[in-house]
Amino acid sequence: MTADLTAARAEALFTTALATGSRPAYEIVDEAIRVTVRAHGGVRGCAADMAAEYGDHPELAVPRMLWALSVVELLYPARRPRPQHRWALVA
């Protein structure tokens, strides 16, 4: 699930007006992602626009996605699941 959320955030960030290569603060990125998801009608709309950019301008899309992924991974670190205990409580 975390990988899906990371991908969705990166796709949304890809479609924002933030400059490739910039290192915006968490608050800026979080707001930009929320506004962009709403403007594109959801994460599927962001993914569709991102795919169109890959078709139209692949030489620009690849570095932009690498940037978006690096920003998302930096600002939204993956949470590790808690280990499950294999013992049961005995009354």
Side-chain angles (χ1 to χ4, degrees):
M1 173 136 162
T2 301
D4 292 339
L5 188 52
T6 298
R9 285 175 172 150
E11 289 167 354
L13 183 58
F14 179 100
T15 61
T16 68
L18 296 176
T20 301
S22 65
R23 292 291 179 205
Y26 172 85
E27 293 79 13
I28 301 295
V29 171
D30 198 54
E31 178 68 13
I33 288 172
R34 277 191 270 115
V35 167
T36 300
V37 168
R38 278 190 225 116
H40 285 84
V43 294
R44 288 183 180 177
C46 293
D49 284 354
M50 182 197 68
E53 284 300 312
Y54 267 90
D56 295 341
H57 307 285
E59 72 285 356
L60 300 174
V62 171
R64 180 133 179 106
M65 182 47 101
L66 291 173
W67 164 78
L69 277 169
S70 70
V71 170
V72 167
E73 288 172 348
L74 177 70
L75 297 179
Y76 299 90
R79 293 185 180 164
R80 300 188 193 281
R82 292 184 182 186
Q84 297 294 321
H85 297 289
R86 296 180 183 242
W87 65 83
L89 295 176
V90 178

